Amino acid sequence: MKKLLVIILAVLLVCGGCSAEKELTKLTEVGFYLDTVITLTAYVEDSKVLKDALEECGRYERMLSRTVEGSDVWRINHANGEAVEVFDDTMEILLCARKISELSGGAFDVTIAPVSTLWDFTSGTAVLPDAEEIARAAELVDQTRMELDGNTVRLPAGMMIDLGGIAKGYIADRVKAYLEDCGVKHAILSFGGNIVGIGVKPDGKEWKVGIQDIDKKTGEYMLVARNTGGSTVTSGIYERGFDLDGVRYHHLLSAETGWPVQNELASVTIFSESSMEGDALSTAAFVLGTEEGLKLIESLDGIEAVLIARDRSVLYSSGAEAYMIK
Amino acid sequence: MKKTACIILTLILLAAAGLYTVTTPAGGRTTLAENTPAAGETAEHNHNAETAAAETGTEEPARTESGETKEQPFLVQITDDDPAIAYVLVRMPNPIGLLPLPTEGEYTRTIRQTKDDGTEQINVLHLTTNGFWMENANCEGQDCVNMGEVTLENREERVLWNMIICLPHQLSLELITREEALQMLGQ
């Protein structure tokens, strides 16, 4: 009898332990970094892992922000032509930025900062910068003049970089990897317009990602995409920007002219594995416009896109419809 | 002997049930409690809410002249007799408390934060039986006011899912079900 009780006790102990470990709760943590909001939602045992992941975001902000004194980007921009040693992360981003820039014929360019700093898209005031100043600043935009060597970066004096079009994607990828290393199997993470998933929901259902309705309030979707563990990034003219005299002035700037790109497109969504690539490609494809943008996407393996035009027509790359729910 | 075995088995079962409590991981299931010192000590909503409000620089609920009406306090616990089926979780950016969706009618709730320089950051939420939206805010950009309504139906596929966020005021609002709220609180 005693033996039987010991066996029952052992079984209960083992089962009890297992059940406790598998008890997952849907928890969310929110943080404000890099001028955007980061939301981490995951099925986890407790919120500590998500809090630690947010702290990682803070670390990346101190490394990659243009405005945080002492960050890699700040030091590059204030080096007056001298070489600056940077973290591996910064170099990885700059190398990816260079690759996307070359693939897109310069449509994506991280040396856009002399121009982008002249625009105010966030305060809600509709003021155009001085046209001559924009023209002068646009001459300083040319990533081919940025020297990348080992872990050092050299930028000609006067030029500046801004990783706003790519850093969020990189951080999204790193935070995802961090959570996966911590054993997280079900999560959906949002970094501004960058969404990355880990697996699917615990019940096997896919994550749903709304694609912003270009004519409606922020948050209202026009299309819904599925995410089963990849990256979904959208760049659109409805994001940061203002309307003046019937023209939409938005944050997707031409590296050539320094003015917001005015073409037939309203938004571009990229489906990819790497959110860093997706981030840069969404801007690049937007700047290139429908025809050239789609051509770029079709030339790349594992990348799909949804292009929404200002007239609300929707174009898909050859494999993109598989990502759509409605 | 059989009787003794039964008692022992019952005791073992009880102990096994206790395991779930004992092994509940440390490190933050009761998210709200970490930010509200009074949380967990009492289920008395008003007391906790006012403590939470004082901690975060929010104003205490406004009273009418009669002193009878006041703004909905933040909840940091959910009691069995609370009839709400869903709540708005308020973060600044750490969790402050829950605002219950009304079971009938609708109400507004003003959230005030005072910055170090004395300026006041104001957001006015509008809660209905089915969801909420940002009715008013004194922030730059007004993005939060333009985020539309979060409802129990659209919260899985909205662009920011169940959230409305005021970036300049570092305020985030999330529509969560009663079940999710109870899980989050570890209740």
Side-chain angles (χ1 to χ4, degrees), chain A residues 62-280:
Chain A
R62 292 189 291 280
M63 187 191 297
L64 304 169
S65 166
R66 187 179 58 77
T67 52
V68 172
E69 203 172 321
S71 75
D72 275 1
V73 172
W74 190 90
R75 291 188 302 113
I76 291 167
N77 289 345
H78 290 80
N80 282 316
E82 295 295 316
V84 173
E85 198 170 329
V86 298
F87 284 100
D88 292 348
D89 306 79
T90 310
M91 187 51 72
E92 196 177 334
I93 295 169
L94 290 173
L95 288 170
C96 178
R98 169 153 291 171
K99 184 179 83 177
I100 304 294
S101 187
E102 287 169 356
L103 284 170
S104 65
F108 178 77
D109 196 320
V110 286
T111 64
I112 194 79
V115 163
S116 59
T117 50
L118 295 175
W119 289 91
D120 175 8
F121 293 122
T122 53
S123 70
T125 53
V127 181
L128 291 179
D130 181 71
E132 279 182 27
E133 235 181 310
I134 291 277
R136 275 198 301 274
E139 286 174 18
L140 294 167
V141 181
D142 180 4
Q143 69 85 30
T144 62
R145 296 169 66 195
M146 173 175 67
E147 293 172 32
L148 306 178
D149 182 16
N151 260 37
T152 62
V153 182
R154 188 196 303 270
L155 208 56
M159 285 179 67
M160 291 191 290
I161 60 167
D162 185 336
L163 302 182
I166 189 167
K168 286 199 291 286
Y170 178 78
I171 298 170
D173 290 334
R174 298 316 310 154
V175 168
K176 175 181 172 171
Y178 175 84
L179 291 175
E180 283 177 330
D181 287 347
C182 293
V184 174
K185 292 186 170 58
H186 317 277
I188 190 85
L189 320 170
S190 167
F191 302 74
N194 294 51
I195 312 290
V196 294
I198 297 177
V200 292
K201 293 178 187 175
D203 62 5
K205 287 183 185 159
E206 60 219 347
W207 304 103
K208 290 178 183 174
V209 178
I211 298 176
Q212 176 65 39
D213 189 317
I214 56 169
D215 296 316
K216 290 201 181 148
K217 291 178 171 181
T218 313
E220 292 185 35
Y221 63 84
M222 182 163 155
L223 304 166
V224 179
R226 57 171 54 91
N227 185 311
T228 55
S231 161
T232 314
V233 185
T234 302
S235 289
I237 61 172
Y238 48 77
E239 294 173 272
R240 284 168 294 151
F242 56 83
D243 295 294
L244 186 65
D245 299 329
V247 179
R248 178 71 185 164
Y249 294 92
H250 56 82
H251 73 293
L252 297 163
L253 299 169
S254 159
E256 215 168 303
T257 67
W259 289 80
V261 173
Q262 305 293 358
N263 59 23
E264 64 289 352
L265 290 174
S267 79
V268 172
T269 299
I270 302 285
F271 304 110
S272 58
E273 189 51 44
S274 152
S275 198
M276 171 164 66
E277 289 179 3
D279 203 356

Side-chain angles (χ1 to χ4, degrees), chain A residues 1 5 8-9 12-13 16 19-20 23 25-30 32 35-37 39 45-48 51 122-123 188 190 195 201 208 210-212 217-221 326, chain B residues 1 5 8-9 12-13 16 19-20 23 25-29 31 34 91 93 140-141 145-148 156-161 163 165-167 170-172 174 180 183-184:
Chain A
M1 188 64 200
L5 282 175
I8 291 170
L9 183 62
L12 283 171
L13 276 170
S19 302
E23 195 185 333
T25 306
K26 183 184 175 189
L27 293 177
T28 297
E29 285 292 322
V30 178
F32 294 87
D35 294 328
T36 195
V37 60
T39 69
E45 290 178 4
D46 64 77
S47 61
K48 186 177 182 303
K51 288 190 165 107
T122 53
S123 70
I188 190 85
S190 167
I195 312 290
K201 293 178 187 175
K208 290 178 183 174
I211 298 176
Q212 176 65 39
K217 291 178 171 181
T218 313
E220 292 185 35
Y221 63 84
K326 60 182 175 185
Chain B
M1 184 61 193
I8 293 170
L9 189 59
I12 291 168
L13 281 169
L19 278 177
Y20 293 92
T23 53
R29 170 67 60 83
T31 324
E34 288 171 15
R91 300 175 197 258
E140 280 188 346
V145 180
N146 290 318
M147 281 191 187
E156 292 274 312
E157 50 192 28
R158 248 179 101 259
V159 173
L160 254 176
W161 302 289
M163 293 187 184
I165 286 161
C166 180
L167 187 61
Q170 301 218 337
L171 174 72
S172 109
E174 237 173 288
E180 287 166 349
Q183 276 195 336
M184 186 193 70

